[in-house]
Amino acid sequence: MKRAIPLFLPLLTGSCLASAQPATPALLLPVKCEVGASCLIQKLVDHDPGPGRQDYRCGLLTTDGHDGVDIRLRTMADMQTGYAVIASAAGQVLRTRDGEPDISSRERTNLDGKDAGNAVVIDHNNGWQTQYSHLRQGSVSVKPGQQVAAGDRLGLVGMSGYAEFPHLHFTVRYQGKAIDPFIGAGPVAQCDAAGSAPGIWVPAATRALSYVPTAVITAGFASNVPPKSVADRPKPPVLTGPQAPLLLWVDVIGARAGDAQEFRITGPAGRPIHVQETSVEGGGLSWFAYSGKRAPATGWPTGRYVGHYTLRRDGAIVAQTETSGVIR
């Protein structure tokens, strides 16, 4: 996804924008999830004023023009389980939308301007607003005019609107302009490689949202090559039996061209089955890869198989994971 998510309804105007010394809200993490475990940061605000991309730490965890923070779930099954989206600060609900389907934007030819999908906009006074986009269909639980406290439930993480995976697109605005919550109310123009900017998160959110430019989204075993898109994997891929191929697959955020990736599979009793190391070609925000081999003539031994995936950059490990599967 390369476009910014515009505010889907008019901004509030009037006295709330007139404060010369605005009280900056302190923001909670807007999803009830554990970053690095049940959810991940997929994209950040773009700080490059031109056609390139640059996140607040001078890295590449963004796309051109991206105006918010994308907090994603790992799988479609996680979306169905349900993760609550909450108000990041107290305020009044300005606008809501619900009823948009959770369908990948690749499958929708005309969004009719509803890029944000199901969404909520909250006014926090003094010109500050937050927007919560791509909520799950039927999950919006607040109404315009309603007062909410920080932490109140607004809906569930979904994939409505211009989205290719289940996530919350969280946008902070001051006087109608997008603000990077990792930087604060200053202009979104210059990155901070050292990460010294205080930002406007509450301390617990700041700790949870430590900068991680490369991470494994999910991994597993399969007997057939799984679809590359998360949206096309409504159920986890499976191993189908001793005579089928054995494949280790992985989804990664932030792989870069030239990174070295190693796939390692061990079978029952720790017996080595397969090892392959290749170079990442292209990379990008979302990187899907797999490796494996066909079953031997006698079939795979039944039992538990363990897969290890390691991604190295300039010799250092930048992401790794372990997964397992059973052949019966």
Side-chain angles (χ1 to χ4, degrees):
M1 291 177 21
K2 296 184 178 180
R3 70 179 74 174
I5 302 297
L7 188 64
F8 64 88
L9 288 167
L11 289 165
L12 186 69
T13 59
S15 61
C16 71
L17 300 181
S19 173
Q21 295 180 334
T24 304
L27 304 178
L28 299 176
L29 178 69
V31 181
K32 282 283 191 181
C33 64
E34 182 181 353
V35 180
S38 53
C39 62
L40 298 165
I41 304 303
Q42 177 81 37
K43 289 196 285 187
L44 299 165
V45 174
D46 180 24
H47 284 252
D48 189 322
R53 60 188 175 104
Q54 190 172 69
D55 62 42
Y56 79 100
R57 290 291 297 272
C58 306
L60 300 174
L61 202 62
T62 187
T63 50
D64 183 26
H66 197 251
D67 70 349
V69 179
D70 284 357
I71 304 171
R72 70 164 296 157
L73 303 182
R74 294 181 181 273
T75 67
M76 295 299 290
D78 288 340
M79 186 183 78
Q80 295 305 320
T81 296
Y83 283 84
V85 174
I86 62 172
S88 61
Q92 183 181 48
V93 177
L94 290 182
R95 302 288 188 270
T96 66
R97 180 192 291 129
D98 204 342
E100 293 297 303
D102 296 292
I103 300 173
S104 171
S105 57
R106 295 181 297 103
E107 306 299 325
R108 300 186 68 183
T109 57
N110 183 12
L111 288 167
D112 194 26
K114 299 176 181 177
D115 289 27
N118 306 312
V120 174
V121 180
I122 298 177
D123 176 64
H124 305 288
N125 294 323
N126 300 312
W128 290 93
Q129 296 178 355
T130 53
Q131 180 171 332
Y132 310 75
S133 302
H134 311 309
L135 305 184
R136 201 171 91 181
Q137 184 178 26
S139 75
V140 175
S141 56
V142 293
K143 297 180 179 180
Q146 180 177 337
Q147 294 290 332
V148 294
D152 282 357
R153 177 168 163 160
L154 306 177
L156 297 173
V157 176
M159 197 178 66
S160 58
Y162 191 73
E164 295 182 14
F165 50 86
H167 72 286
L168 171 72
H169 179 98
F170 177 65
T171 307
V172 181
R173 291 185 174 89
Y174 173 60
Q175 294 188 341
K177 294 184 179 180
I179 296 297
D180 188 339
F182 289 92
I183 296 294
V188 179
Q190 190 171 14
C191 64
D192 175 20
S196 58
I200 57 175
W201 301 106
V202 300
T206 298
R207 291 191 295 271
L209 293 166
S210 59
Y211 185 72
V212 180
T214 308
V216 175
I217 302 170
T218 187
F221 280 112
S223 293
N224 298 296
V225 178
K228 181 178 179 180
S229 171
V230 172
D232 294 332
R233 301 197 300 261
K235 295 182 179 180
V238 296
L239 293 169
T240 58
Q243 302 300 326
L246 180 62
L247 303 176
L248 173 61
W249 61 271
V250 65
D251 280 329
V252 178
I253 294 171
R256 298 182 185 178
D259 287 351
Q261 56 181 1
E262 181 188 80
F263 296 84
R264 182 180 296 271
I265 302 173
T266 56
R271 185 168 62 89
I273 296 294
H274 174 71
V275 178
Q276 183 180 27
E277 184 169 322
T278 63
S279 293
V280 171
E281 297 180 5
L285 277 172
S286 295
W287 171 254
F288 174 81
Y290 64 92
S291 182
K293 60 195 305 183
R294 298 179 184 276
T298 56
W300 298 113
T302 58
R304 181 174 179 266
Y305 289 73
V306 178
H308 300 268
Y309 175 83
T310 305
L311 187 70
R312 291 182 174 86
R313 184 172 302 146
D314 299 325
I317 295 175
V318 293
Q320 59 184 337
T321 193
E322 178 180 298
T323 188
S324 64
V326 176
I327 292 180
R328 295 181 173 85

